[in-house]
Amino acid sequence: LGHPGGAQILFDLCYVGGLFGQQVPAQSNQLVYTANALSAPTLLGDERDGILAKWNQLQAFWGTGKGYFNNQLPPVDFTQENPFCRFKAVGYSCIPGSKDEDGLVVLALNKKEADIRNQQQQLVESLHKVLGGNQTLTVNVEGVKALPDDQTEVVIYIVERSPNGTSKRIPATTLFSYVEQANIKAQLAQLGVFMSVTRTELSPAQLKQLLANPPAGVDPIIWEQAKVDNPDADKFIPVPMVGFKELLRRLKIQDQMTKQHQSRVDIISNDISELQKNQATTVAKIAQYKRKLMDLSHRVLQVLIKQEIQRKSGYAIQVDEEHLRVQLDTIQSELNAPTQFKGRLNELMSQIRMQNHFGAARSEERYSVHGDLLREIRQHLKQQQEGLSQLIRVIKDDVEDLKLIEHGLLDRIC
């Protein structure tokens, strides 16, 4: 809670403006009446006053209701600003950095951000009409930002052009005073504007006075502790959070900021993925261009060799050419040495040929049998064949014997 953001400034500065714009009248009797209502009411004159005191304490803790304590005096109104309200905390918001000369005024509208962006030109024209339609004034939109509950924050400034061609911005305080007039405020309400506030930095005196005086209903000890716990006193300012409605509002603002941050992270992630794809494509193209460069270099070298041969034709071999020939012969002899590069290259080539030969043989035959094993298999099959032949002869002999027995039996019967 208390996540700093532009939307938070819009609402919290309303409190700051109210603090410096008006002075709360001193009500010395108010505290006395409140103390009587919470501790010693004399409304009924019996033990029921004790029950009424506890009820008034409960209402004061919740920050709502009326505390009756005397028949002759009006009841005390318990609001969330009373010192006894328990549902209070202190958060932090960014200190605006814009100056009064920047002329930035924030307008909060009950419209969605998409609608505002689609109708931004119409909104600018409507605001120009509200400002009187003066041709020397130009309405400019500094930024548009979504707020919770389908609301939108629009930051505007007015540029005034003088007849001599120069231009300047209308100060923020002047513009704010104009839009806060009753008739102008009613016209802005028709456009959906429900709040307007200046976005200007606080002067050192205002900031000092704000920090020195705890807000209404905030315990001075809690306020001092909030100033001590401020993570960055140069950028953040403590602001009170009173009631569940304020807590819910800040929670919605935090969710809104989280969604915006997540959306920005998703955009950055997509950009990184696209850059990685472009990098892979670029690396592939660089490798392709390197191969092409090498090929072109070889071709250029061949052309230079032929050109040099033609140019040197008919001339005797010079001394430097003779030295170069000797060096080339030396290199050639080193390459042709059995234990040097050419021998190793021939060995690698022979191994590659053997692997290719074995690979082709394996592609034609899925398996191979050793010669000795093959002879054993053949011998075994031969023995099996001879056994089967012998068995067939025995069966034939037995069949002949059975036929003779059958004929002998038939002769006796006849």
Side-chain angles (χ1 to χ4, degrees):
L1 297 177
H3 187 82
Q8 189 61 47
I9 299 174
L10 168 62
F11 291 97
D12 291 333
L13 282 185
C14 296
Y15 169 77
V16 177
L19 180 64
F20 290 103
Q22 57 182 0
Q23 296 294 331
V24 179
Q27 297 181 1
S28 58
N29 294 330
Q30 186 68 22
L31 292 177
V32 178
Y33 294 159
T34 302
N36 290 333
L38 298 180
S39 59
T42 58
L43 186 65
L44 302 174
D46 53 22
E47 67 276 1
R48 291 177 294 178
D49 287 337
I51 300 175
L52 181 61
K54 294 182 180 179
W55 172 247
N56 290 338
Q57 293 174 12
L58 183 61
Q59 292 186 100
F61 292 161
W62 278 93
T64 183
K66 294 180 180 294
Y68 293 90
F69 65 98
N70 195 303
N71 290 323
Q72 306 298 327
L73 297 174
V76 178
D77 291 329
F78 294 119
T79 62
Q80 292 181 343
E81 284 75 19
N82 79 84
F84 302 96
C85 181
R86 296 295 180 89
F87 304 105
K88 297 176 183 177
V90 178
Y92 300 94
S93 295
C94 289
I95 301 176
S98 303
K99 299 181 180 179
D100 187 33
E101 294 78 10
D102 297 332
L104 299 181
V105 173
V106 180
L107 302 178
L109 292 86
N110 283 317
K111 294 182 179 180
K112 297 181 179 180
E113 180 187 8
D115 298 338
I116 295 295
R117 292 188 181 278
N118 294 333
Q119 303 174 1
Q120 181 172 332
Q121 186 59 34
Q122 299 177 7
L123 177 63
V124 170
E125 294 176 356
S126 301
L127 292 175
H128 188 264
K129 291 180 181 179
V130 171
L131 296 174
N134 193 339
Q135 297 299 325
T136 60
L137 300 178
T138 304
V139 180
N140 298 273
V141 177
E142 178 73 12
V144 178
K145 189 175 185 179
L147 297 178
D149 300 328
D150 293 334
Q151 297 176 351
T152 307
E153 169 190 294
V154 180
V155 183
I156 65 170
Y157 63 92
I158 308 300
V159 176
E160 182 181 13
R161 291 181 175 80
S162 58
N164 58 5
T166 60
S167 61
K168 65 175 183 178
R169 294 190 180 188
I170 301 297
T173 53
T174 304
L175 179 58
F176 178 74
S177 301
Y178 181 81
V179 299
E180 283 296 306
Q181 297 179 13
N183 58 336
I184 302 299
K185 203 169 185 178
Q187 297 180 33
L188 292 176
Q190 295 178 359
L191 300 177
V193 179
F194 66 91
M195 182 184 296
S196 58
V197 64
T198 59
R199 178 170 289 180
T200 55
E201 61 181 357
L202 299 174
S203 65
Q206 290 176 329
L207 187 61
K208 182 179 180 180
Q209 182 180 359
L210 177 63
L211 297 176
N213 300 318
V218 177
D219 191 280
I221 298 178
I222 297 177
W223 187 251
E224 291 297 327
Q225 186 63 36
K227 292 190 291 184
V228 174
D229 296 338
N230 192 340
D232 192 344
D234 296 332
K235 295 181 179 180
F236 301 145
I237 186 173
V239 292
M241 295 186 298
V242 181
F244 292 106
K245 185 179 294 185
E246 177 68 13
L247 185 64
L248 178 61
R249 181 184 66 81
R250 294 181 71 92
L251 181 61
K252 289 181 178 179
I253 292 175
Q254 183 177 2
D255 291 340
Q256 185 76 20
M257 295 297 297
T258 301
K259 291 179 181 179
Q260 293 179 0
H261 292 165
Q262 185 62 43
S263 176
R264 178 57 58 183
V265 169
D266 293 339
I267 293 174
I268 294 174
S269 178
N270 294 333
D271 292 342
I272 291 175
S273 300
E274 189 66 25
L275 290 175
Q276 289 177 347
K277 293 179 181 178
N278 294 337
Q279 181 186 10
T281 304
T282 304
V283 170
K285 288 184 177 179
I286 290 174
Q288 180 182 359
Y289 291 151
K290 284 183 177 179
R291 291 192 297 268
K292 188 175 181 180
L293 176 62
M294 186 176 296
D295 185 30
L296 292 176
S297 300
H298 291 166
R299 294 173 62 182
V300 170
L301 182 59
Q302 292 176 358
V303 172
L304 291 176
I305 291 173
K306 293 180 179 180
Q307 183 180 4
E308 188 68 15
I309 291 174
Q310 292 179 358
R311 190 176 68 86
K312 290 290 185 177
S313 61
Y315 290 92
I317 297 177
Q318 299 179 0
V319 178
D320 55 349
E321 293 177 347
E322 181 65 23
H323 290 309
L324 182 60
R325 186 183 64 80
V326 172
Q327 293 178 2
L328 291 176
D329 291 340
T330 304
I331 294 173
Q332 184 67 27
S333 61
E334 291 179 356
L335 292 176
N336 292 332
T339 59
Q340 294 298 324
F341 303 103
K342 190 170 184 179
R344 296 177 183 178
L345 181 61
N346 293 332
E347 182 180 357
L348 291 175
M349 291 298 295
S350 62
Q351 293 180 2
I352 291 173
R353 293 191 188 97
M354 292 178 61
Q355 291 179 359
N356 293 335
H357 176 70
F358 289 147
R362 288 172 183 174
S363 62
E364 295 175 358
E365 299 180 2
R366 297 186 178 179
Y367 60 89
S368 60
V369 181
H370 194 269
D372 296 338
L373 181 60
L374 185 60
R375 286 191 295 271
E376 292 179 2
I377 293 173
R378 289 177 179 175
Q379 184 68 25
H380 178 71
L381 293 176
K382 184 179 180 181
Q383 293 175 358
Q384 293 290 331
Q385 183 67 30
E386 293 176 353
L388 291 174
S389 301
Q390 185 68 25
L391 181 61
I392 292 172
R393 285 195 299 268
V394 172
I395 293 174
K396 287 182 179 181
D397 293 340
D398 292 341
V399 171
E400 293 295 334
D401 293 340
L402 288 174
K403 287 181 180 181
L404 292 173
I405 294 171
E406 186 179 0
H407 288 299
L409 291 174
L410 290 176
D411 291 341
R412 289 181 180 183
I413 293 174
C414 295

